[in-house]
Amino acid sequence: MKRFFRYLKLSFFTLPLLAAQQDKPIRVIFFGDSITQAGVRPGGYIVKLGEMLEKQNLKSKYELIGAGIGGNKIYDLYLRMEDDVLSKKPDVVIIYIGVNDVWHKASHGTGTDPDKFVKFYEAILKKLQAANIRVALCTPAAIGERTDFSNQQDGDLNQYSQMIRNLAKKNGLPLIDLRKAFLDYNLKNNPNNEEKNILTSDRVHLNEVGNQFVADEMWKVLKGM
């Protein structure tokens, strides 16, 4: 009888707690650079994703948080992940980085060497996984939208995208392959081989169509996590 009352007392406290945990929305942090920083503005991909969730009556199931800072590279994400990600105790983190690691080589004479890029990325993944956070990786989409690989940074961008694909495969993590998705879209929708104004406004940052496109691509993966 004592055991029964002990079980009853335990259930009284634990069942409401479990119910509360089940009702708690999935907290998703989008971790990246200026593309993600713009994602929380009107028309941004994070805002559009929220609108998509609302239309599907799923808005209460997710909490979407943008953690993007303009100009960030992979090591910037590593240095600020404690304050901007881990302290917020997310359930899911979507990492969208790599454009500046490549772009700044030409534009600023900086950038990130491939070996350092992989090491910092692995260090980020290790910390997130140690905290039991689910993670999805994104490849950097574009620095120019020409489809004949005549954009200046196409070679490096393809290399860094492949490194991210390899990291996703090595760690058994979902991949949002925006690099491939953007190229496939441009092959169908960019007959004049324009360098911008298809999915981007300036070769890198997303226009309205691009923001919706990224929201769609992210949702395909996020809904299964």
Side-chain angles (χ1 to χ4, degrees):
M1 184 63 71
K2 287 183 179 179
R3 184 178 297 175
F4 171 76
F5 281 112
R6 192 183 311 138
Y7 173 79
L8 191 64
K9 183 178 180 181
L10 185 64
S11 299
F12 180 79
F13 289 105
T14 58
L15 289 177
L17 179 61
L18 289 171
Q21 289 174 341
Q22 289 171 352
D23 292 338
K24 181 183 173 185
I26 298 169
R27 178 172 291 176
V28 184
I29 291 183
F30 299 85
F31 197 26
D33 52 32
S34 58
I35 299 170
T36 296
Q37 187 175 32
V40 298
R41 297 171 189 158
Y45 78 84
I46 298 171
V47 172
K48 286 185 175 294
L49 185 51
E51 293 168 352
M52 291 164 59
L53 293 172
E54 189 167 18
K55 288 178 182 177
Q56 298 177 52
N57 295 317
L58 294 172
K59 193 170 184 179
S60 63
K61 302 291 185 183
Y62 291 88
E63 179 186 5
L64 308 181
I65 300 172
I69 294 180
N72 267 197
K73 304 178 187 70
I74 188 68
Y75 56 81
D76 296 301
L77 265 57
Y78 177 78
L79 291 173
R80 66 183 177 88
M81 66 181 302
E82 187 67 46
D83 291 337
D84 292 356
V85 177
L86 296 175
S87 67
K88 293 179 171 59
K89 302 189 182 303
D91 301 292
V92 176
V93 171
I94 297 179
I95 304 173
Y96 185 6
I97 198 70
V99 165
N100 293 320
D101 298 273
V102 170
W103 194 15
H104 286 188
K105 290 182 181 183
S107 63
H108 295 78
T110 56
T112 309
D113 292 335
D115 60 332
K116 291 185 176 67
F117 183 83
V118 171
K119 286 179 181 177
F120 274 109
Y121 215 125
E122 287 180 328
I124 289 171
L125 294 179
K126 187 175 181 180
K127 283 197 171 190
L128 293 174
Q129 290 174 317
N132 294 316
I133 297 168
R134 287 166 277 169
V135 188
L137 314 186
C138 299
T139 53
I143 305 175
E145 297 191 68
R146 295 193 184 109
T147 58
D148 60 356
F149 297 107
S150 63
N151 305 293
Q152 183 183 2
Q153 284 90 15
D154 274 340
D156 280 347
L157 207 57
N158 289 335
Q159 178 189 5
Y160 283 60
S161 292
Q162 188 58 48
M163 291 190 295
I164 293 171
R165 294 182 190 113
N166 293 342
L167 285 167
K169 184 176 180 179
K170 177 182 177 182
N171 291 276
L173 298 173
L175 176 71
I176 304 166
D177 199 342
L178 296 177
R179 178 68 177 154
K180 182 180 184 301
F182 267 53
L183 178 58
D184 290 346
Y185 184 93
N186 270 279
L187 285 168
K188 294 177 182 176
N189 298 281
N190 187 7
N192 296 322
N193 203 32
E194 302 288 345
E195 67 172 351
K196 60 182 179 179
N197 296 325
I198 309 302
L199 293 169
T200 74
S201 59
D202 59 358
R203 302 171 62 246
V204 172
H205 298 94
L206 306 173
N207 61 18
E208 184 177 357
V209 177
N211 274 295
Q212 185 60 60
F213 186 79
V214 169
D216 290 338
E217 291 299 308
M218 288 195 172
W219 177 236
K220 289 176 187 177
V221 171
L222 177 59
K223 66 183 177 182
M225 294 181 71

